[in-house]
Amino acid sequence: MLIKHEFEVRASAKYLFDLTQDYTLRAEWDTLTTEAYLLNDAKEAALGVQARCIGGNGLAMDIEYMSYKPNEVAAVTMVSGPYIFDHFAGGWQFKALSDELTRVRFSYNITAKPRWLSWILTPILCFKFKRETEKRIVALTAYAERQFPAVQASLNAI
């Protein structure tokens, strides 16, 4: 089942892309994640890189980047995760509307396990994930709009 959210943030596409793909900052703004880090000694997110995200409930999901275009798109698929997920994939798109305004689109494709109950469990799982994603969007927007002016000022001072 596909879940989509589209929203605007008063920050540059580069800043938002970098922020959302920086695993050292993820727990500062991401309401779904209490801990996140790259795997296999990777130094930064990139195509083929894997990461682990751990939620407040202690459940962990390992993902792999299937697409990575800086300042534009990051897409992942689940490598391993909580039993309830049969399939999880997500994509984040960033479209600069100006130097200080970006349209962001989060898209997730989720299927629940066990497959014989997927017809009833997937809509329930997606409903919960959609609500959590809405909280995540509010938190990301607030964090980015609070931090972006300071980041811009320090870059302009250089």
Side-chain angles (χ1 to χ4, degrees), residues 21-94:
Q21 305 314 304
D22 184 338
Y23 284 78
T24 64
L25 295 176
R26 180 64 66 94
E28 288 187 31
W29 64 266
D30 191 345
T31 58
L32 286 173
T33 306
T34 56
E35 186 178 359
Y37 51 91
L38 299 172
L39 299 174
N40 305 318
D41 296 321
K43 302 298 182 216
E44 60 186 32
L47 185 63
V49 168
Q50 293 185 357
R52 176 166 295 143
C53 296
I54 303 170
N57 56 10
L59 297 177
M61 179 183 288
D62 291 354
I63 54 96
E64 181 174 336
Y65 280 89
M66 305 307 287
S67 180
Y68 192 88
K69 294 180 185 175
N71 310 332
E72 294 178 26
V73 175
V76 300
T77 190
M78 181 180 72
V79 176
S80 65
Y83 177 78
I84 191 71
F85 288 100
D86 183 49
H87 171 76
F88 176 91
W92 296 1
Q93 296 177 313
F94 303 86

Side-chain angles (χ1 to χ4, degrees), residues 12 15 99-100 147-157:
S12 71
Y15 173 77
D99 290 344
E100 296 182 357
Q147 298 295 325
F148 180 67
V151 170
Q152 281 300 102
S154 67
L155 289 176
N156 291 338

Side-chain angles (χ1 to χ4, degrees), residues 90-115:
W92 296 1
Q93 296 177 313
F94 303 86
K95 180 175 174 50
L97 301 177
S98 73
D99 290 344
E100 296 182 357
L101 184 63
T102 302
R103 179 172 294 127
V104 182
R105 178 181 295 154
F106 286 0
S107 301
Y108 301 101
N109 194 327
I110 300 170
T111 309
K113 281 191 211 175
R115 287 190 179 170

Side-chain angles (χ1 to χ4, degrees), residues 5-24:
H5 294 278
E6 191 168 312
F7 56 102
E8 293 179 3
V9 181
R10 288 185 308 272
S12 71
K14 178 182 180 359
Y15 173 77
L16 286 168
F17 184 90
D18 291 347
L19 173 64
T20 58
Q21 305 314 304
D22 184 338
Y23 284 78
T24 64

